[in-house]
Amino acid sequence: MTHPRPGGWFITFEGIDGAGKSTHLPALAQALQAQGRVVLQTREPGGTPLAERLRELLLHEPMDPLCEALLMFAARRDHWQRAIEPALAAGQVVLCDRFTDATFAYQGHGRGFDLGVLDTLERWVQTDAQGRLRQPDLTLWFDVPPAVAAQRLAAVRTPDRFEAEPLAFFERVRAGYAARASAAPERIVRIDATRPLPQVWAEVESVCRARGVLA
Ligand SMILES: Nc1ncnc2c1ncn2[C@@H]1O[C@H](COP(=O)(O)OP(=O)(O)O)[C@@H](O)[C@H]1O
Ligand SMILES: Cc1cn([C@H]2C[C@H](O)[C@@H](COP(=O)(O)OP(=O)(O)O)O2)c(=O)[nH]c1=O
């Protein structure tokens, strides 16, 4: 695949909580840095001082689904304008732990929030000065059944407001990711993340090589 735009690559990591995103993101950053690329490792919600403050509220403060969706996009707007776009313009590779696919999966499919409203918010937040809707160049979707993810998480951390949701919620979120992937098969690559770590990593490397992200 030829490089989709001048400047850097924008690569997002998606999947339900416990899928392995945060494990593989720094590994890919290291592999890219070893090849001389400048990498911005970031996450959503978060990635700027304002968006990190919104993250604290989103992860711990009870709120209704509309408020949740609006705050996710408010955090994203700040992150996009102040961190992601400048890094891409400088030719960096941006590796982002979650982006808008997560909003469709969690707020849309998980909470049942109106997908049409999310489409509108996505357009508002990600349309650039030339009127183009910006999307990641590549999205790695780490797919695992919720029961596997829950087992992994139980061993390592105290659940936040999202992680405390029941398995049925994560089944809907997973279905949301599947729907996004079938609507954008060129951009979103499904990775079977139930396999042992070295095999999952080998696939991440091979997808990145095939796309020209890694040499
Ligand atoms: N393929 C895998 N096999 C077994 N354990 C894994 C695998 N991928 C991740 N883990 C473990 O599962 C836990 C959650 O992984 P993490 O990368 O934090 O998930 P996420 O960022 O998607 O929520 C961590 O303890 C991690 O070491
Ligand atoms: C970006 C985003 C995250 N989320 C949720 C999913 C996660 O449970 C939570 C925080 O994401 P994440 O950083 O993946 O959590 P952790 O560091 O605990 O792995 O926010 C949404 O519901 N919608 C969104 O648009």
Side-chain angles (χ1 to χ4, degrees):
M1 185 175 147
T2 52
H3 197 289
R5 71 166 126 228
W9 287 89
F10 180 31
I11 302 171
T12 58
F13 289 59
E14 295 285 358
I16 62 172
D17 297 84
K21 300 175 300 300
S22 325
T23 304
H24 292 287
L25 192 151
L28 181 57
Q30 233 176 8
L32 285 159
Q33 283 157 350
Q35 296 184 354
R37 302 301 307 253
V38 178
V39 180
L40 172 67
Q41 297 183 59
T42 187
R43 66 175 180 181
E44 290 212 346
T48 62
L50 170 59
E52 288 292 332
R53 287 173 74 178
L54 294 175
R55 177 188 176 91
E56 276 312 299
L57 295 172
L58 279 159
L59 264 48
H60 304 293
E61 200 69 36
M63 62 184 76
D64 90 305
L66 173 58
C67 191
E68 196 175 276
L70 291 172
L71 286 182
M72 286 293 178
F73 275 110
R76 180 160 302 132
R77 178 70 180 173
D78 194 59
H79 189 211
W80 178 258
Q81 286 205 303
R82 292 210 242 185
I84 299 174
E85 269 204 316
L88 293 174
Q92 298 179 14
V93 182
V94 176
L95 302 183
C96 190
D97 194 336
R98 300 187 183 282
F99 194 62
T100 304
D101 295 311
T103 314
F104 279 87
Y106 280 75
Q107 281 64 53
H109 292 258
R111 303 263 194 246
F113 188 73
D114 191 303
L115 296 175
V117 175
L118 297 183
D119 276 329
T120 303
L121 291 170
E122 179 184 40
R123 234 181 299 281
W124 280 2
V125 168
Q126 289 161 232
T127 297
D128 67 13
Q130 285 73 44
R132 290 168 300 187
L133 174 64
R134 310 315 301 258
Q135 293 287 6
D137 301 310
L138 171 66
T139 297
L140 301 171
W141 169 33
F142 294 83
D143 187 30
V144 286
V148 173
Q151 210 168 21
R152 288 180 187 169
L153 286 185
V156 289
R157 59 188 189 234
T158 316
D160 60 35
R161 211 164 60 79
F162 294 96
E163 290 165 350
E165 289 286 343
L167 286 188
F169 174 83
F170 289 103
E171 294 290 0
R172 294 196 296 276
V173 173
R174 187 185 187 199
Y177 277 123
R180 289 287 281 182
S182 52
E186 268 299 299
R187 172 173 70 84
I188 304 178
V189 177
R190 177 184 175 274
I191 291 178
D192 175 0
T194 56
R195 294 167 301 165
L197 270 175
Q199 286 179 33
V200 178
W201 169 245
E203 191 175 346
V204 170
E205 269 189 314
S206 120
V207 168
C208 290
R209 280 208 194 92
R211 299 289 177 122
V213 176
L214 279 174

